[in-house]
Amino acid sequence: MSGVELVVDSARWRRGLEAFAAATPGLVPVIKGNGYGFGRELLALESTSLGLSTIAVGTYAEVPGALATFDGDVMVLSPWRPFLTDVVLDERVIHTVGRVADVRDLAAATDGQARVLLEGETSMARHGLDRHELAGAVAALGELTVEGFAIHLPMAGNNLAEAESWAAVLETSQVETTTFYVSHLTSAELTTLRIKRPQLDIRPRIGTSLWLGDLGALSVRATVLDSHLVARGERVGYRQRPMPRDGTLLVVAGGTSHGIGLEAPKATAGVVQRGKSLAKGGLEAAGFSLSPFTIDGRQRWFAEPPHMQASMIFVPGTATVPAVGDSVDVAVRFTTATFDAFTLR
Ligand SMILES: *Cc1c(COP(=O)(O)O)cnc(C)c1O
């Protein structure tokens, strides 16, 4: 293969998934977007292998694929809204509602033949019912089946306290469910919440720490497409920037279309930051950015911003350069990465 390839040590990755699922009672795997780099279909199949009965997708656009590859229930994390044009009504779909008017509209639109989660508005402030709106939401339910109550917590913050306070609200509310779906609680926080609220069936919705919990099982390789010796001061690339030293310019597969980008724009770096860069004495001071490609054991510098499908990397003369056709390691953010090839080993 050539390009950017995700290589998965499947035995090790699956051991990690099994251990995670075994340690996480009530787990609802989240399968959305680019499928955390693996693709959503594979993750749905893995969820079946793990014996899980419900999966969560991000949007309605992701529901048809999920229903086709997974036999159990499919929960939609984004709330139902009356203006959405791709809503899927199916007995295996669980809708999220976060506005009193939406509860009423969904009940009317489906003749009450839908399964719903009521979502509470947390400090995330993304979607959800205020605690004072719960009674109104319950009154608007009609024949809708309530499958649970859900909260989505931020990644930073006192999540346990917020989850506990919502659990208390739920237990004293008229919402007739004891199933409490939560997002972004640690396993220790989940344990504490279960001890404090033994009447509730607490179900964590988790993507990243499940699918990407063992990064050691994953490697991303990029093909070296071309290689040129360059001299200090020689100008290369779209931007014709001078090379900082003698070395090699490598053209490596992987660019913006793979989700490979730059760090913060250099132009906005303040005086302090530039001072720090100068103190480090690195190429950063000269306006270069560190690339995610590792060559001869070290992360190397972009010779210029990544192109659509390839990047130009400067490797100083002192380093050993790979041959054209070899591949090198590249660090990616899996939730934004697109791969040319995928191999389960
Ligand atoms: C995306 C999402 C999750 C999963 O997030 P991870 O950080 O990938 O575990 C959970 N709950 C909601 C509501 C989400 O939108």
Side-chain angles (χ1 to χ4, degrees):
M1 102 87 216
S2 68
V4 181
E5 180 181 32
L6 170 59
V7 183
V8 182
D9 175 343
S10 56
R12 177 171 167 177
W13 183 58
R14 289 191 174 120
R15 269 199 308 280
L17 299 182
E18 278 158 21
F20 192 98
T24 314
L27 174 66
V28 177
V30 172
I31 302 177
K32 66 183 177 185
N34 72 341
Y36 295 84
F38 302 95
R40 297 195 303 273
E41 189 175 340
L42 175 77
L43 301 188
L45 297 173
E46 295 296 332
S47 301
T48 302
S49 306
L50 291 170
L52 300 171
S53 59
T54 305
I55 61 175
V57 298
T59 62
Y60 282 100
E62 296 170 346
V63 171
L67 288 174
T69 39
F70 185 74
D71 282 341
D73 289 337
V74 175
M75 171 177 292
V76 189
L77 294 169
S78 317
W80 181 88
R81 306 296 339 269
F83 48 79
L84 296 181
T85 54
D86 55 358
V87 168
V88 180
L89 299 175
D90 186 286
E91 59 192 14
R92 288 197 284 129
V93 173
I94 301 172
H95 307 267
T96 300
V97 272
R99 287 170 171 253
V100 175
D102 288 359
V103 176
R104 196 177 303 117
D105 288 352
L106 180 60
T110 61
D111 218 2
Q113 300 304 300
R115 302 162 69 193
V116 297
L117 287 187
L118 295 179
E119 177 165 355
E121 183 185 354
T122 65
S123 54
M124 275 282 286
R126 192 159 85 174
H127 302 294
L129 300 153
D130 180 79
R131 58 193 64 193
H132 306 294
E133 294 175 314
L134 293 185
V138 169
L141 280 167
E143 299 296 304
L144 293 173
T145 306
V146 179
E147 297 283 342
F149 187 79
I151 57 167
H152 185 196
L153 296 164
M155 305 240 198
N158 192 345
N159 281 356
L160 181 59
E162 191 166 3
E164 280 177 13
S165 119
W166 272 107
V169 168
L170 174 60
E171 288 204 282
T172 54
S173 76
Q174 290 140 22
V175 181
E176 283 191 35
T177 186
T178 51
T179 310
F180 188 36
Y181 290 89
V182 296
S183 304
H184 298 131
L185 288 182
T186 63
S187 76
E189 289 170 333
L190 287 167
T191 303
T192 308
L193 190 60
R194 285 202 172 94
I195 292 167
K196 293 207 171 165
R197 295 282 162 183
Q199 313 85 325
L200 291 181
D201 175 17
I202 292 162
R203 306 208 53 186
R205 304 181 295 184
I206 301 174
T208 307
S209 13
L210 170 64
W211 306 119
L212 298 171
D214 180 11
L215 292 178
L218 313 175
S219 68
V220 182
R221 305 286 297 173
T223 311
V224 177
L225 302 170
D226 214 334
S227 172
H228 311 284
L229 289 174
V230 286
R232 178 191 160 94
E234 185 175 336
R235 293 180 178 272
V236 305
Y238 282 127
R239 304 182 187 224
Q240 291 291 292
R241 300 180 66 189
M243 290 294 91
R245 295 176 211 150
D246 290 353
T248 304
L249 182 70
L250 289 182
V251 183
V252 185
T256 53
S257 75
H258 299 91
I260 287 170
L262 289 168
E263 343 159 66
K266 293 296 147 200
T268 62
V271 175
V272 173
Q273 187 55 44
R274 283 195 82 82
K276 275 187 195 155
S277 304
L278 281 168
K280 275 198 269 172
L283 292 180
E284 195 176 356
F288 286 86
S289 294
L290 203 53
S291 86
F293 297 93
T294 296
I295 292 155
D296 193 19
R298 287 179 61 174
Q299 233 179 308
R300 301 296 172 178
W301 299 86
F302 280 118
E304 70 168 356
H307 303 171
M308 184 85 94
Q309 291 167 316
S311 292
M312 299 180 85
I313 306 299
F314 173 74
V315 185
T318 47
T320 306
V321 290
V324 170
D326 280 359
S327 62
V328 297
D329 272 319
V330 53
V332 298
R333 187 171 166 193
F334 285 92
T335 49
T336 58
T338 304
F339 301 107
D340 300 308
F342 176 82
T343 306
L344 281 173
R345 288 241 160 85

